[in-house]
Amino acid sequence: MAIYGVEAVRNIINASEGVNIKKAEESLSFKDMIIDALKNVNALEQESIKITEDFIAGKHDNIHSVMIASEKAAISLQFVMEVRNKVLDAYQEIMRMQV
Amino acid sequence: MGLFNSFNISASALSAQRLRMDIISQNIANVNTTRTQDGTPYRRKTVLFQEKEVPFSHYLSRESREKYLSGSGVRVAGIVEDTSPFKEVYDPSHPDADENGIVRMPNVEIITEMVNMISATRAYEANVTALNSSKSMALKALEIGR
């Protein structure tokens, strides 16, 4: 006995698979994206450290630039942590799936 | 980077207000200075602010596809001297007095400087508040879906 309603869904799945594969090849992989984001955060952290050290060493006297650099680094780090949490949540949701 | 654009704008304003504060301090410090390197009494200085130009590289970069440019903050165009006349005070015992006993004093009004100082402090505060607001907006965005 054929269930026609479900058969129609399979057609859609087949059609969408082709599209998805194409997209994945074109775009950046998720791993690369995460690594890029981490590199960006690391650069901001390094900049913050450098500005703080320069300030302590007396190379410049802009208190606000020290604070702003550390804020930038903190916000970026928080953003990456948020993305990581979302990914882990999704992973755990899938692992909890009944098979 | 788009997220930190408002940070950079506020940072430029903070630097500008700090320089303005430096100049006001210099004016107050020299309120009684009758001799400078030019031989004249001290002239009051003011800071000239200018909108910071969008760098040319911006137009070439990918970001320039955005329809609207928010600008990139403020910069100091220069420090100009106030050309208003010096105050003349009669004080024959002063070493810099002329033959009639008149001493030319700087054209610094301490009251004006105090008001400008309040203005600079408040402007600095306003920019810090703007910066904190953009920070809390960014942090609020991270709470989406939590």
Side-chain angles (χ1 to χ4, degrees), chain B:
Chain B
M1 196 175 172
L3 173 62
F4 295 131
N5 201 17
S6 55
F7 277 43
N8 295 333
I9 291 173
S10 294
S12 75
L14 290 179
S15 299
Q17 293 300 332
R18 235 183 52 108
L19 182 76
R20 186 178 167 205
M21 194 68 206
D22 287 355
I23 296 299
I24 292 169
S25 309
Q26 172 78 350
N27 286 340
I28 292 177
N30 284 297
V31 71
N32 289 319
T33 305
T34 51
R35 39 180 98 171
T36 57
Q37 278 190 329
D38 307 335
T40 60
Y42 176 79
R43 269 196 190 281
R44 175 172 172 264
K45 291 185 180 70
T46 46
V47 189
L48 202 60
F49 290 155
Q50 186 182 355
E51 187 186 7
K52 203 186 241 176
E53 301 89 356
V54 178
F56 181 66
S57 61
H58 182 87
Y59 292 103
L60 299 174
S61 75
R62 219 148 36 100
E63 289 170 30
S64 63
R65 276 194 226 144
E66 285 171 22
K67 199 172 170 188
Y68 302 109
L69 290 176
S70 56
S72 49
V74 63
R75 74 179 185 86
V76 175
I79 295 166
V80 287
E81 289 193 336
D82 186 351
T83 51
S84 63
F86 294 119
K87 282 181 281 183
E88 293 186 343
V89 178
Y90 179 70
D91 185 2
S93 63
H94 197 288
D96 288 329
D98 61 9
E99 60 271 17
N100 299 321
I102 302 287
V103 187
R104 292 195 302 162
M105 298 298 276
N107 52 357
V108 178
E109 279 289 344
I110 195 82
I111 297 165
T112 315
E113 298 309 319
M114 291 304 283
V115 171
N116 284 341
M117 197 162 74
I118 295 170
S119 166
T121 315
R122 292 284 178 253
Y124 195 93
E125 274 178 26
N127 283 298
V128 171
T129 308
L131 207 145
N132 282 336
S133 297
S134 21
K135 184 200 158 191
S136 55
M137 271 172 81
L139 290 181
K140 270 286 168 225
L142 293 181
E143 283 178 24
I144 291 174
R146 193 179 277 175

Side-chain angles (χ1 to χ4, degrees), chain A residues 61-62 64 71-72 76 82, chain B residues 8 15 18 124 135 146:
Chain A
D61 57 349
N62 280 332
H64 58 258
E71 284 299 327
K72 277 182 183 174
S76 307
E82 208 65 43
Chain B
N8 295 333
S15 299
R18 235 183 52 108
Y124 195 93
K135 184 200 158 191
R146 193 179 277 175

